[in-house]
């Protein structure tokens, strides 16, 4: 079997004996294809006086969870919860917590935190790169370079464009911050538009205001959670309302966009292009037509994949461990209770 450098680097930590009653228990599932050991090491660097244990197998998780009071990980199944007799805090390593058994955690009095904010810089840069790619039409230049074809093509300017950002959480705000120097008009879409935001204009999800915003949009950035409101938000009607020069950038969740309607819009030229870090279905099947469009950029749910991702997660965990030791009532990114 070929060697995996990322796994080899952490062979030593993989063979470490289990720690009894760790201060922080890390569950085994990683993300972005990055070894979860990097997350463990980052927490240990920030909490050198504490014991931090990685449960590498399902059996190890079931055993360690029985005595753990502070647990962090990507997911937390109900079967683990049955054994979590001493659990007090679960630090979810995702910004979204809809996949967790929140009601059951509430019933047990478990405090839940999330990873809100860790994706701001990395995904904000991804969105900016996607927008600039379509603005300057680098994909056209790349195609002509491969053909060794010296032939001019028309590009666009970002300055003076209208960018609509759906979702003004940490990621949406990071996108707006990075767009500010480019002289664009920005429209923010959020559940509570009365709260305002970092955009020139803030509207809600429904009504004529949203349709009017789509009609004025050059770049539509989806940075919202998947909810009953946002599922299928960008449907056939929304794609028709967008102008033919509009570009869709989706770093939210695949089902926010009606995939069949998007394929139809791309085929008929109703929109100029799309940058998709998430798709529906996901992973995107090899025979899916979205792979075949020259004006579609596809990345494999990869926008948050940078070395700093686990570092920012570890910052939250370390801060909350210290807050608990100091008997502080509120934790960083506390979502429940």
């Amino acid at each position: 079997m070929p060697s995996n450098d990322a796994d080899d680097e952490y062979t030593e930590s993989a063979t470490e004996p289990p720690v009894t009653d760790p201060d922080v228990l890390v569950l085994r599932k990683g993300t972005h294809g990055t070894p979860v050991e990097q997350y463990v090491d980052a927490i240990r660097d920030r909490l050198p006086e504490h014991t931090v244990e990685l449960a590498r197998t399902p059996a190890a998780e079931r055993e360690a969870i029985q005595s753990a009071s502070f647990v962090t990980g990507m997911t937390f199944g109900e079967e683990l919860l049955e054994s979590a007799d001493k659990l007090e805090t679960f630090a979810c390593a995702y910004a979204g917590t809809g996949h967790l058994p929140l009601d059951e955690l509430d019933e047990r009095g478990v405090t839940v935190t999330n990873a809100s904010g860790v994706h701001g810089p990395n995904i904000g840069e991804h969105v900016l790169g996607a927008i600039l790619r379509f603005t300057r039409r680098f994909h056209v230049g790349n195609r002509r370079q491969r053909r060794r074809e010296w032939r001019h093509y028309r590009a666009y300017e970002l300055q003076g464009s209208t960018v609509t950002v759906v979702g003004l959480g940490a990621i949406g705000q990071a996108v707006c911050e990075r767009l500010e120097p480019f002289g664009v008009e920005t429209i923010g879409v959020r559940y509570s538009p009365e709260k305002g935001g970092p955009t020139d204009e803030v509207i809600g999800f429904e009504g004529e205001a949203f349709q009017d915003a789509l009609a004025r949009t050059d770049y539509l950035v989806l940075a919202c959670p998947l909810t009953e409101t946002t599922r299928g938000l960008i449907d056939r009607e929304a794609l028709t309302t967008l102008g033919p020069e509009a570009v869709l950038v989706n770093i939210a969740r695949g089902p926010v966009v009606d995939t069949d309607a998007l394929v139809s819009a791309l085929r008929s030229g109703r929109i100029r292009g799309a940058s998709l870090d998430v798709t529906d279905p996901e992973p995107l099947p090899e025979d899916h037509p979205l792979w075949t469009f020259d004006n579609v950029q596809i990345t494999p749910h990869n926008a948050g994949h940078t070395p700093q991702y686990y570092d920012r997660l570890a910052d939250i965990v370390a801060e909350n461990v210290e807050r608990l030791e100091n008997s502080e009532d509120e934790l960083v990114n506390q979502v429940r209770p």
Side-chain angles (χ1 to χ4, degrees):
M1 180 178 295
S3 173
N4 184 312
D5 292 341
D7 290 338
D8 290 347
E9 182 179 352
Y10 292 95
T11 301
E12 183 176 349
S13 64
T15 59
E16 290 177 359
V19 179
T20 303
D21 299 331
D23 296 319
V24 178
L25 173 65
V26 183
L27 302 181
R28 62 195 175 92
K29 176 178 171 56
T31 191
H32 296 312
T34 304
V36 72
E37 285 87 350
Q38 291 185 14
Y39 184 29
V40 176
D41 287 348
I43 298 173
R44 287 173 176 163
D45 287 345
R46 289 155 177 77
L47 297 172
E49 304 301 320
H50 296 72
T51 55
V52 181
E53 177 184 352
L54 170 63
R56 293 189 56 84
T57 67
E61 286 183 339
R62 289 192 297 271
E63 180 177 355
I65 201 74
Q66 297 177 34
S67 59
S69 62
F70 191 108
V71 177
T72 182
M74 310 295 161
T75 61
F76 195 98
E78 293 186 21
E79 69 283 356
L80 271 185
L81 188 58
E82 294 176 2
S83 304
D85 297 328
K86 297 183 178 180
L87 182 64
E88 297 177 359
T89 305
F90 178 67
C92 181
Y94 289 137
T97 56
H99 63 290
L100 301 177
L102 293 174
D103 292 339
E104 290 83 353
L105 288 165
D106 276 350
E107 291 174 3
R108 289 172 172 257
V110 176
T111 300
V112 177
T113 65
N114 68 8
S116 177
V118 300
H119 276 317
N122 44 6
I123 296 185
E125 292 179 4
H126 179 97
V127 170
L128 184 59
I131 290 175
L132 289 173
R133 175 184 186 268
F134 279 95
T135 301
R136 303 308 305 174
R137 300 184 72 199
F138 289 135
H139 56 296
V140 176
N142 185 56
R143 184 167 64 245
R144 296 188 182 185
Q145 179 181 344
R146 290 198 308 269
R147 297 172 179 172
R148 303 184 184 186
E149 180 181 2
W150 189 277
R151 184 161 58 91
H152 294 167
Y153 59 91
R154 189 186 72 166
Y156 296 82
E157 293 184 6
L158 184 54
Q159 179 174 284
S161 299
T162 297
V163 182
T164 296
V165 181
V166 180
L168 292 179
I171 294 174
Q173 292 180 38
V175 170
C176 294
E177 290 171 6
R178 283 153 181 78
L179 286 170
E180 189 172 347
F182 288 88
V184 300
E185 291 292 319
T186 52
I187 303 171
V189 184
R190 68 186 313 173
Y191 288 105
S192 304
E194 65 275 7
K195 293 182 178 180
T199 51
D200 298 309
E201 183 182 341
V202 182
I203 61 173
F205 280 92
E206 300 174 353
E208 294 183 6
F210 182 64
Q211 295 297 322
D212 178 67
L214 291 179
R216 293 184 281 137
T217 295
D218 297 299
Y219 297 93
L220 177 62
V221 178
L222 304 179
C224 53
L226 179 62
T227 66
E228 291 184 4
T229 300
T230 62
R231 183 179 294 274
L233 178 71
I234 307 305
D235 55 12
R236 194 171 304 275
E237 180 180 355
L239 289 165
T240 301
T241 304
L242 288 169
E245 295 298 310
V247 172
L248 170 70
V249 180
N250 189 6
I251 47 85
R253 288 293 183 267
V256 175
V257 177
D258 181 329
T259 301
D260 291 341
L262 177 60
V263 169
S264 177
L266 290 164
R267 277 180 173 155
S268 63
R270 287 205 304 273
I271 63 172
R272 181 155 60 94
S275 174
L276 308 174
D277 189 56
V278 290
T279 59
D280 182 27
E282 187 175 307
L284 195 65
E286 292 183 10
D287 60 351
H288 199 281
L290 281 173
W291 289 112
T292 65
F293 291 102
D294 287 340
N295 59 341
V296 174
Q297 177 188 38
I298 296 175
T299 49
H301 208 142
N302 202 65
H305 187 356
T306 66
Q308 289 77 19
Y309 173 73
Y310 279 144
D311 289 336
R312 287 192 286 270
L313 283 176
D315 287 339
I316 296 172
V317 168
E319 172 68 18
N320 282 335
V321 168
E322 293 172 354
R323 289 193 180 197
L324 288 169
E325 291 180 344
N326 294 328
S327 300
E328 296 186 32
D329 293 332
E330 191 72 18
L331 301 183
V332 177
N333 286 0
Q334 182 172 330
V335 294
R336 294 286 184 101

